[in-house]
Amino acid sequence: MSLTFYWYPKCSTCRNAKKLLEEHDIKFEEVHIVEQNPSREVLADLYQKSGLELKKFFNTSGQKYRELGLKDKMKTSTDDELLDILATDGMLVKRPLLTDGTKVTVGFNEQMYKDHWLA
């Protein structure tokens, strides 16, 4: 299983997720989500495979989210419009994102990682 781990190194949640994966000898490719923001196509693919609502992919606690007034835009924008916005800046993306190409998790919860990636 080849994993891709989209993260922001300054994010403590991302560091905790990475530490858990490393403690269990899980191999993964790291992608710095700000330096290598996922493309719209990649984000659309992750969204489709996740089974989650698109709003779960947004870092709603981030400064950029507030600056752009995305709380209100979330209510009226289409998925296509939201994916376009999400692809503009890695700081808008909730992290970490972890995928094996077929399943996707967004954010970090230790039990979720144990259930999805360590089982």
Side-chain angles (χ1 to χ4, degrees), residues 69-86:
L70 292 179
K71 182 178 181 181
D72 294 327
K73 289 182 183 178
M74 296 292 278
K75 299 171 187 169
T76 59
S77 299
T78 66
D79 282 357
D80 283 335
E81 291 168 333
L82 292 175
L83 283 165
D84 288 340
I85 293 168
L86 201 56

Side-chain angles (χ1 to χ4, degrees), residues 8 33-34 37-38 43 54-71 73-74 81-95 97 106:
Y8 182 58
I33 203 160
V34 176
N37 188 41
L43 289 165
L54 186 54
K55 68 181 180 180
K56 298 285 186 190
F57 279 78
F58 280 85
N59 177 14
T60 58
S61 62
Q63 182 179 355
K64 193 79 154 177
Y65 182 88
R66 290 189 301 275
E67 283 175 6
L68 296 175
L70 292 179
K71 182 178 181 181
K73 289 182 183 178
M74 296 292 278
E81 291 168 333
L82 292 175
L83 283 165
D84 288 340
I85 293 168
L86 201 56
T88 64
D89 190 329
M91 293 302 282
L92 290 173
V93 182
K94 183 161 179 80
R95 51 198 183 262
L97 287 172
V106 179

